[in-house]
Amino acid sequence: AIGLIWGYTQQSDKATDLFYSLSFAALTIVLWFTAADSLMHHLLLGMILLWSFRLGSYLFKRIHAMGKDDRFDKMRKQFIRFAGFWTLQALSVLILSIPIIIIYQKANIEFGAVHLLGIGIWAVGLLIETLADQQKFAFRQNSANDGKFIQTGLWKQLQHPNYFGEILCWVGIFVCAIPSLENWEWLAIISPLWISFLLVFLSGIPLLQKASQKKYGALESYQTYQKNTPLLVPFLY
C-alpha cells in the first residue's frame, strides 16, 4: 500500500521493484526474530536476505539507468490499473512466501540432505540469475550494442536465463520446506508454480517477447535466435 501511494503520487517507477524485494526481506526478518530456533531458520534468513539484496539492488540500479519502466506507461496515470498491478505484486509476495512461513512455524527442524539439496538448487538459481542480469546490463550500457539484441554468455543458451534462475531459486526454497510439510501444507508447491506462471504466461516472457519482436523482429539473426534457442529451460522449453 505504501509503495502504491508513493508510486502513484510521484508518478515514478524507481522504487517499484525495490518495494517488491524488500517485502520478502521484511517478512523473513520478522519471522526469524519471532520463531527461529534451528539451523534451517538461520540459513533461510541468509538466503532470502541475499536474494532480496541482489535483486533489489540490481533492479534499482537498472531503473535509474533506464529512467522509467515502459510496462507502466499505459497505467501509471490510471489509479485503478496501477492499483491492480500493486495488488498482484502483494499477492505474489504472499504466495511465494508460503514455504518460508511454514518453515518458520516448525520448531527444532533437523537439518538433512533435502535441505542441502534445496539450498543447492537455490544457489545455482541465484548464480544463473545474477550472471544473466549482469551480462545483459553490461550489454545495454555499451553504446556499440544500440539496436542489437543480446545473444552472448548465458543468453546464447537461453532466451530468458534470468527467469530460469529466478524459478530455480523458488524451487530451491520449496524443497527446503519439504521435510516440514504435513497434510494441507503441501499446497506450498503453489509458490514455485506461481512464479513460473507469472514469468511464463503473465508479466515476464510475454511482455518481453512482444517488445523484442517489435524491435528486432525484422532481423534475420533474431529470427534464427528465436528458432534455435530454448525459451526458458535448457533442452526442454
Side-chain angles (χ1 to χ4, degrees), residues 17-32 44-45 47-53 55-56 88-101 104 166 170 173 191 194-195 198:
D17 293 313
L18 194 60
F19 272 100
Y20 174 76
S21 58
L22 289 180
S23 295
F24 292 97
L27 171 63
T28 308
I29 289 171
V30 170
L31 292 171
W32 182 82
L44 185 58
L45 174 66
M47 291 162 65
I48 297 302
L49 290 182
L50 184 58
W51 170 87
S52 176
F53 176 78
L55 182 66
L88 177 63
Q89 181 152 283
L91 179 64
S92 296
V93 172
L94 174 61
I95 292 175
L96 293 175
S97 297
I98 290 174
I100 301 171
I101 295 170
Y104 280 104
E166 177 72 359
W170 291 104
I173 291 171
S191 174
W194 180 253
I195 191 65
L198 285 179

Side-chain angles (χ1 to χ4, degrees), residues 98-222:
I98 290 174
I100 301 171
I101 295 170
I102 290 175
I103 289 174
Y104 280 104
Q105 286 181 333
K106 307 294 181 174
N108 302 313
I109 297 175
E110 184 176 347
F111 189 82
V114 176
H115 297 113
L116 193 61
L117 174 63
I119 293 171
I121 294 172
W122 169 86
V124 171
L126 185 68
L127 178 62
I128 291 174
E129 184 177 28
T130 301
L131 288 175
D133 282 341
Q134 289 304 120
Q135 288 171 355
K136 191 169 188 178
F137 186 80
F139 180 87
R140 286 181 168 175
Q141 292 299 105
N142 188 344
S143 58
N145 294 322
D146 290 348
K148 300 178 181 178
F149 64 96
I150 185 171
Q151 51 180 325
T152 55
L154 292 176
W155 301 86
K156 183 178 181 180
Q157 310 302 322
L158 295 172
Q159 294 184 45
H160 301 282
N162 53 336
Y163 289 163
F164 178 58
E166 177 72 359
I167 291 171
L168 283 181
C169 282
W170 291 104
V171 169
I173 291 171
F174 168 73
V175 171
C176 286
I178 286 177
S180 302
L181 300 180
E182 299 176 303
N183 303 318
W184 63 269
E185 292 172 344
W186 280 94
L187 291 175
I189 197 174
I190 193 176
S191 174
L193 292 178
W194 180 253
I195 191 65
S196 300
F197 170 76
L198 285 179
L199 295 179
V200 175
F201 298 109
L202 194 59
S203 63
I205 290 176
L207 296 179
L208 287 179
Q209 290 290 94
K210 184 178 180 180
S212 295
Q213 187 65 34
K214 184 177 180 180
K215 289 181 180 179
Y216 315 116
L219 299 177
E220 185 177 348
S221 57
Y222 181 72

Side-chain angles (χ1 to χ4, degrees), residues 1-12 16 19 78-87 89:
I2 294 171
L4 165 63
I5 293 170
W6 186 90
Y8 185 73
T9 56
Q10 301 297 312
Q11 286 293 289
S12 173
T16 301
F19 272 100
Q78 300 179 37
F79 181 77
I80 299 299
R81 291 188 63 186
F82 200 56
F85 166 82
W86 278 92
T87 301
Q89 181 152 283

